[in-house]
Amino acid sequence: QTDAEQTITVPAAGSRLVRWPVVVEDAEAADLTFRVSNTQYQDASKPTFGVGPEQLIPIARYTGEEIVGTAGVVTGPGRRVEGVLLPPGLDTRQGAVTVALQASLAAALLDALAYQEAYDFPPDCPYAFADRLLSTSSIVYALDALGAGDAALRDRLSALAVADLAALADLQLADGGWGWCFAETSDAYLTGHVFFALLLADRAGFAAAPEVRDRAAAALARQIIPAGSLTDEAAINQQAFVLYVLAEHGNGQTAAFANALVARHRDRLHPYARAHLVLVHTLTGHGGSALQRTLLADLNAMAIVSATGAHWENRGPGWNSLSSDISGTAIALSALLRTEPDNGLLPQAARWLMVARTGDHWPSTHETAWSIHALTDWMVATGELEADYAYEFAVNQVTRAEGAFDAGNVAGVVVVAIPLGALAPDEVNYLAFRQAGGAGSLYYSAFVDSHIDATTVGALSRGIVVQRAVYDAACDPERAACPPITRLPAGARARVVLTIIAENDLLYATAEDYLPAGAEAVDPGLLTSASGLGAGAGRADDRSGDWGWWWFDRVEYRDDRVVFYADFLPAGTYQYTYYVQTVIPGTYRVRPAVARQAFFPDVFGRSEGTAFTITGR
């Protein structure tokens, strides 16, 4: 917009700022070279940052990200086909279809058990030994049922189980129950949890001493409370667990108590409690009853489903039962496996549990124990360790991956990424998954990550709402009404408020908020004059008090965006505030902010795109 050549006067040992206003067109990158000369001297330079030897400055298109996903399973020899139709306005230079193929969702269970095995358990805490015994017994039972595992592995697990049985026998209280760490009185949930671990050990061939088991059964039976005497929601849900464990022991009287509990308190039962009561009916010979069908319908309706996973959420904290969404989902999975083995939610719930891991285990020993128990049930039901088949993945009849899954790589995952530019833009693209014959199931997932012209799309919510507002940092919201702004002079500061509304609990959530190209985020961690502009986060809905450890727990200030991470974010409304320094005058398009779950990226949301003007001082 100005002459490419400008004539200026620079005093000796001085400097001058030279500006060239430009309009950025749709191009891959800008190649900038600056030259200066006079009658005696000349020099040249390129930007101090950039791509390649020419220091090219990449040009980002004004796009809004959109992610859709699907997942499925080919349960035997056969073929499944998924169709992908690319959206209009697509930037084919960005994005891909990412496909993952695997033979087993439960292949990492031995790694999780290794975590339990190495965990430094407090010696006076019965729950810890019960967690490990539950895990060990579940895996041994599954390995025996599938005829898998070697003698050395079973001997190691057996020694571990025997040691934990002895520890629990020593910690049994005089009334036959168990309590929390160092407790002198027994607790209903802990007694049930330990007794359940003893029952699973017995199933796996590690019998507890008869007197230990009998005293535990009597102690737990004393914890039965008539439904009419229960008023606290936590106690109501705990009672479902008590009845379930007693039913596993063969106590047929639990059916009547379960019926009364449902009749009086059905609306207050969490999903995991409904799952326990479903199993009570099965174990007491009332499988298929009208009441059980009602509870199963509740469980199916309460599932939270995305294209690639399904889980259940508690109605609130369940501290007296150590319950969480992870353990609750594991319990629901076990109940559906035993009552509706063909339920379409089962593979999705198993996948969700595997994604919910932190590294090679789940966040706590308790969640790890229940997840191992449910997934070993799943492993036995599907025979996953017996996988032995060839597979093929093709796109539009062109093979992209082929090979075989067997005992040697049953824990492996094959990932294929196809750039969107390689797909047909105006017609359906076909993704074909084939299990070519043999034992085992082929699991697949496919995510289409596309970037669409932001002038043609608006805000979008698929489980997450994202809203962005910009304010003048000089306006104090506690003293005045601060309206949102779309312009500031260079050298000023803006306050950015990013609002995230999580409709359901989120695992491994990330959010990316893009910056105007002529501005930069103020990193409060740097030792600069702006270090006092500390960022802030909080729950805007104030639903659960000051649970600060559930906010976004890591923030990265990059040159073009600010990125937020949270390992776990409960359903609710959150706000994050940070500051931006305006630097270079111009009018800039700001790409929509995006939030997603890292391992379920189809659960995502984006804000609207905006334009922001930085004026001269």
Side-chain angles (χ1 to χ4, degrees):
Q1 291 188 323
T2 61
D3 293 338
E5 182 177 301
Q6 298 186 45
T7 300
I8 60 172
T9 300
V10 182
S15 64
R16 284 284 303 275
L17 175 65
V18 183
R19 297 182 184 271
W20 280 271
V22 298
V23 174
V24 179
E25 303 288 356
D26 186 4
E28 294 280 348
D31 185 358
L32 305 177
T33 304
F34 301 92
R35 294 181 175 88
V36 61
S37 64
N38 62 12
T39 56
Q40 293 180 284
Y41 305 104
Q42 62 181 358
D43 198 359
S45 72
K46 296 185 75 65
T48 57
F49 61 91
V51 177
E54 296 301 316
Q55 298 292 77
L56 301 179
I57 307 300
I59 296 175
R61 286 183 175 178
Y62 181 51
T63 56
E65 189 172 9
E66 186 159 337
I67 305 170
V68 294
T70 187
V73 57
V74 186
T75 55
R79 184 169 175 263
R80 288 192 64 174
V81 178
E82 303 277 0
V84 176
L85 181 62
L86 300 179
L90 181 72
D91 179 2
T92 56
R93 300 181 314 184
Q94 302 183 72
V97 179
T98 302
V99 172
L101 310 171
Q102 56 192 131
S104 173
L105 294 177
L109 295 187
L110 287 176
D111 288 339
L113 181 62
Y115 155 75
Q116 297 278 58
E117 188 176 358
Y119 190 83
D120 186 16
F121 286 136
D124 293 290
C125 295
Y127 80 86
F129 294 102
D131 285 343
R132 189 164 62 186
L133 180 61
L134 195 160
S135 303
T136 305
S137 301
S138 296
I139 288 181
V140 169
Y141 173 77
L143 293 177
D144 288 350
L146 294 170
D150 54 32
L153 173 62
R154 200 185 195 288
D155 288 346
R156 178 170 65 84
L157 298 181
S158 298
L160 198 61
V162 169
D164 289 339
L165 282 169
L168 289 170
D170 289 341
L171 291 171
Q172 191 173 29
L173 298 173
D175 64 359
W178 288 265
W180 298 97
C181 304
F182 307 102
E184 297 181 358
T185 57
S186 62
D187 174 83
Y189 179 77
L190 262 297
T191 298
H193 182 52
V194 174
F195 189 33
F196 181 61
L198 298 183
L199 295 176
L200 289 185
D202 188 53
R203 184 184 70 165
F206 312 117
E211 63 274 13
V212 173
R213 192 169 57 247
D214 291 346
R215 291 174 60 218
L220 190 60
R222 291 193 294 270
Q223 297 292 343
I224 294 178
I225 302 173
S229 301
L230 292 167
T231 57
D232 178 68
E233 186 165 302
I236 291 168
N237 285 275
Q238 186 183 85
Q239 189 68 192
F241 177 62
V242 170
L243 296 175
Y244 162 62
V245 176
L246 288 170
E248 283 281 10
H249 183 55
N251 187 331
Q253 297 178 348
T254 54
F257 288 100
N259 292 344
L261 193 65
V262 175
R264 184 176 287 265
H265 301 297
R266 177 183 165 197
D267 291 343
R268 305 180 71 185
L269 293 171
H270 292 202
Y272 72 88
R274 295 172 199 248
H276 282 143
L277 296 175
V278 163
L279 292 173
V280 169
H281 282 80
T282 296
L283 292 166
T284 57
H286 295 84
S289 66
L291 194 56
Q292 187 188 57
R293 291 197 301 272
T294 296
L295 290 169
L296 284 169
D298 289 347
L299 267 184
N300 282 274
M302 296 171 82
I304 297 170
V305 182
S306 72
T308 50
H311 70 287
W312 287 262
E313 293 182 1
N314 292 342
R315 287 157 43 100
W319 311 119
N320 68 333
S321 298
L322 297 178
S323 62
S324 72
D325 295 343
I326 292 174
S327 60
T329 296
I331 292 165
L333 173 60
S334 292
L336 291 178
L337 269 173
R338 294 171 71 172
T339 53
E340 294 183 343
D342 296 325
N343 191 308
L345 293 172
L346 291 172
Q348 297 188 72
R351 173 173 167 76
W352 188 91
L353 280 176
M354 293 302 290
V355 169
R357 291 175 299 163
T358 302
D360 58 1
H361 57 274
W362 287 265
S364 70
T365 61
H366 196 67
E367 290 164 318
T368 297
W370 279 105
S371 297
I372 287 177
H373 172 58
L375 289 170
T376 50
D377 284 349
W378 169 257
M379 191 164 55
V380 171
T382 58
E384 286 187 357
L385 292 184
E386 301 169 355
D388 186 11
Y389 61 84
Y391 66 84
E392 180 188 20
F393 165 59
V395 180
N396 294 332
Q397 299 184 334
V398 177
T399 299
R400 293 283 186 161
E402 59 183 338
F405 283 120
D406 54 31
N409 66 347
V410 70
V413 180
V414 176
V415 178
V416 182
I418 303 100
L420 294 187
L423 301 182
D426 300 317
E427 55 189 71
V428 177
N429 296 269
Y430 296 100
L431 313 183
F433 306 87
R434 186 166 71 96
Q435 201 267 46
S441 298
L442 174 64
Y443 294 93
Y444 67 84
S445 64
F447 293 103
V448 181
D449 186 357
S450 58
H451 296 256
I452 307 167
D453 184 352
T455 61
T456 66
V457 298
L460 181 65
S461 171
R462 291 198 179 119
I464 308 175
V465 176
V466 182
Q467 299 169 347
R468 175 176 56 201
V470 181
Y471 304 91
D472 187 341
C475 180
D476 185 350
E478 295 185 359
R479 297 184 178 181
C482 300
I485 60 171
T486 58
R487 63 174 51 228
L488 268 181
R493 291 195 180 107
R495 175 169 51 88
V496 182
V497 178
L498 188 68
T499 301
I500 304 290
I501 303 174
E503 298 177 8
N504 300 296
D505 294 354
L506 302 178
L507 287 165
Y508 306 113
T510 64
E512 295 178 280
D513 192 15
Y514 294 91
L515 304 172
E520 55 189 30
V522 177
D523 185 345
L526 299 179
L527 296 178
T528 66
S529 60
S531 60
L533 294 176
R539 285 188 71 129
D541 54 2
D542 195 27
R543 288 169 50 188
S544 306
D546 188 17
W547 294 353
W549 57 279
W550 272 331
W551 299 335
F552 287 97
D553 44 27
R554 190 170 87 255
V555 183
E556 294 180 358
Y557 297 89
R558 303 181 184 175
D559 60 347
D560 66 339
R561 74 194 73 177
V562 180
V563 185
F564 311 88
Y565 300 90
D567 289 345
F568 177 62
L569 202 67
T573 300
Y574 301 84
Q575 286 187 337
Y576 196 94
T577 301
Y578 67 95
Y579 292 85
V580 168
Q581 179 79 41
T582 57
V583 180
I584 302 174
T587 298
Y588 304 95
R589 286 176 165 177
V590 186
R591 295 157 67 186
V594 177
R596 66 173 69 85
Q597 288 197 106
F599 296 102
F600 295 105
D602 56 319
V603 180
F604 89 110
R606 69 166 179 253
S607 70
E608 293 183 336
T610 60
F612 195 86
T613 299
I614 301 175
T615 61
R617 303 189 188 191

